[in-house]
Amino acid sequence: MSQRDHPTVQTTQTSLDILSTIQELDGARTTDIVAEHDVAKSTAHKHLTTLERAGYLRKDGEIYHIGFKFLNLGEYARERWSWFAPVKAAVEELADRTEEECDFVVDDHGRVITISESYHKWAKYGAGDGSKRYRANIGTYYPMHATGSGLAILASYPRERVEAIIDEWGLSAPTEHTITSRHELFAELDRIQERGYSIGDRYYAEGLRSVGKAVTGADGTVLGALSVSGPTYRIDGSVLDTEIPRALATVVDSLESELAETVP
Amino acid sequence: MSQRDHPTVQTTQTSLDILSTIQELDGARTTDIVAEHDVAKSTAHKHLTTLERAGYLRKDGEIYHIGFKFLNLGEYARERWSWFAPVKAAVEELADRTEEECDFVVDDHGRVITISESYHKWAKYGAGDGSKRYRANIGTYYPMHATGSGLAILASYPRERVEAIIDEWGLSAPTEHTITSRHELFAELDRIQERGYSIGDRYYAEGLRSVGKAVTGADGTVLGALSVSGPTYRIDGSVLDTEIPRALATVVDSLESELAETVP
DNA sequence: CAGAACGTTCGATTGTGCCAAACTATTAAG
DNA sequence: CTTAATAGTTTGGCACAATCGAACGTTCTG
């Protein structure tokens, strides 16, 4: 169902594909797996029991769900990630300064995934859902070309690496403003490089604007990107042109110098 | 390294064992895997590349780390869990009432894992580390016999199920107050059943006391447990005897009636 | 510059994952 | 109450893929 090629263990790949299917279907029974992949009933059964016994699946009646072991490993990956603590502090600092929703994402195999997220403490959101939406997006994947932070990261890559990512993931269009041609994309990336930060103007969701800036580690590689997001009516004018860029520049600067010290 | 028996896919098991090892070692290179498991270098290599390409591992130089895909699946498991929303609200409600750290855990294959956690908004912790510790424990596994919430869940199980859990996980002793004999444990469980809530008195950590209460779903099965934790000097006297039990009873009651309606 | 240590690639072999079919359990239908 | 149908579980034989070991390429170390 996914990538082929020799140097992979097909059996493991099958198990992982089954996991993906269960996630996509929001829970699945043995028969569903058989229908989705072309494997024998008994094979599906064996894979499912193996994953279940290891804690990667949870069996609710006859239906298998993604197990909580993933929560354990996911939180582990997040918090043991070398730069988690300073990055998290930076996200909070940025949220305090901008009074908007801020997050930090990293490139995970050609998509960005949210590692840390923070809202300004004086909730500004509609109808008191402030604290509830806290960390609502952590662990979510986004296409790189459709988010401010993703674009900021892409702008730091050599052209062929960007090409490779597009080859793999395409240029999906969540809204009608999303960049969908390579030509446009590279023009945008050039502009980002000059400007030093990116603007995701309703690329991912209608009415949403985000400003992103890449964060470079001590070794010169880009670790990820910080971004500020909010509704277009607030992220506009001088806020968009000067306030947020200035906050981003300050926070990224101090984060980068902190990272330079932290590394052994 | 773990369970054997027929109805499992050994190849998948090997991959999963490798994942565990990488977590335990806080990142590992190919050689480390070979040293830990008895597999050929080439085999380890194939497994590692398979897991890496699927996003389950992240390769940092020559060292493999747990990948961020786990974060994606973990958050998914958490938020798509049928009763997440009401449970999360209940944890926050409990934190508001008790002004202490509160959490909700579920039984995952004989250990409890923290699904939701909340601190009272007026941080009460030492030296301003309040917001920083937020959700520090989500995704963490604990032995059931050593936590208030775990004991509350155990108390709801038939004796043989408790025995089976002990057979698998033993009775580890994080502190010198931890219950380590089956006799003591069953006596404690009886007391919990009578009382209606559990007290974890420095069972897991010195100076920490927690009060737990099981939450029962509409179908009569126990979903998990809510608990309130804090330092022994605060969780004491009337707070321990009446205030917290009363708050727990109220919150669990309303949560259970909400759950009864929610389910189709 | 030699030597070691590690990652990667490549065939040969054998173990094991896969399928198909039988069996059991549960549910629906007549 | 019997029969049929659907889903899950278990079993055994075969072919293929996972495994191993050895060779190659690369990067560090002395």
Side-chain angles (χ1 to χ4, degrees), chain A residues 127-140:
Chain A
D129 63 336
S131 69
K132 286 188 185 166
R133 289 201 51 221
Y134 196 88
R135 76 164 265 123
N137 295 322
I138 286 184
T140 310

Side-chain angles (χ1 to χ4, degrees), chain A:
Chain A
M1 175 155 265
S2 33
Q3 63 269 70
R4 4 84 281 143
D5 279 359
H6 311 117
T8 67
V9 186
Q10 289 174 33
T11 305
T12 298
Q13 190 62 52
T14 304
S15 284
L16 302 181
D17 288 344
I18 288 175
L19 283 174
S20 298
T21 303
I22 291 172
Q23 184 183 24
E24 280 160 26
L25 299 183
D26 252 329
R29 40 178 48 230
T30 309
T31 320
D32 300 329
I33 302 298
V34 175
E36 213 71 22
H37 304 67
D38 67 338
V39 292
K41 235 187 336 178
S42 55
T43 306
H45 178 65
K46 263 183 114 179
H47 279 269
L48 290 167
T49 45
T50 305
L51 291 167
E52 198 260 333
R53 278 152 91 129
Y56 290 93
L57 288 178
R58 183 168 51 84
K59 197 175 180 178
D60 198 26
E62 302 289 354
I63 299 177
Y64 292 92
H65 293 273
I66 298 297
F68 291 118
K69 183 148 205 171
F70 283 102
L71 194 57
N72 181 256
L73 283 151
E75 280 302 307
Y76 167 83
R78 210 167 87 94
E79 295 186 9
R80 295 292 167 105
W81 181 59
S82 320
W83 300 277
F84 178 68
V87 161
K88 188 185 176 187
V91 171
E92 277 160 17
E93 167 75 12
L94 190 61
D96 275 358
R97 283 175 183 261
T98 59
E99 304 188 359
E100 292 289 351
E101 175 185 342
C102 297
D103 57 19
F104 182 84
V105 304
V106 298
D107 174 359
D108 191 30
H109 296 258
R111 288 181 297 174
V112 288
I113 183 171
T114 309
I115 299 298
S116 196
E117 184 183 31
S118 186
Y119 292 75
H120 182 64
K121 56 183 85 159
W122 309 320
K124 264 190 164 184
Y125 336 93
D129 63 336
S131 69
K132 286 188 185 166
R133 289 201 51 221
Y134 196 88
R135 76 164 265 123
N137 295 322
I138 286 184
T140 310
Y141 282 112
Y142 298 100
M144 297 188 77
H145 71 285
T147 65
S149 32
L151 286 167
I153 294 173
L154 284 181
S156 77
Y157 288 165
R159 195 180 173 108
E160 62 266 24
R161 184 161 178 191
V162 179
E163 294 274 13
I165 290 172
I166 301 173
D167 288 342
E168 187 173 0
W169 295 102
L171 290 171
S172 61
T175 79
E176 56 181 23
H177 307 96
T178 315
I179 298 172
T180 52
S181 83
R182 294 184 186 228
H183 183 71
E184 279 179 273
L185 177 63
F186 283 110
E188 179 76 31
L189 295 182
D190 286 343
R191 234 171 300 142
I192 293 166
Q193 270 190 321
E194 284 169 31
R195 203 201 281 131
Y197 63 90
S198 66
I199 297 176
D201 185 10
R202 299 162 295 166
Y203 291 167
Y204 184 71
E206 212 56 66
L208 184 76
R209 211 170 264 152
S210 70
V211 186
K213 189 167 169 57
V215 176
T216 308
D219 60 352
T221 62
V222 168
L223 298 179
L226 276 168
S227 81
V228 184
S229 321
T232 44
Y233 64 84
R234 277 210 308 267
I235 312 290
D236 204 356
S238 69
V239 173
L240 175 63
D241 293 336
T242 63
E243 287 179 36
I244 289 177
R246 191 181 300 156
L248 265 173
T250 310
V251 173
V252 170
D253 266 8
S254 71
L255 174 58
E256 285 178 348
S257 56
E258 191 177 352
L259 291 173
E261 291 163 17
T262 317
V263 181

Side-chain angles (χ1 to χ4, degrees), chain A residues 15 26 72 75-76 135 139, chain B residues 12 15 26 72 75-76 135 139:
Chain A
S15 284
D26 252 329
N72 181 256
E75 280 302 307
Y76 167 83
R135 76 164 265 123
Chain B
T12 297
S15 284
D26 251 328
N72 180 257
E75 281 301 308
Y76 167 83
R135 72 160 270 122

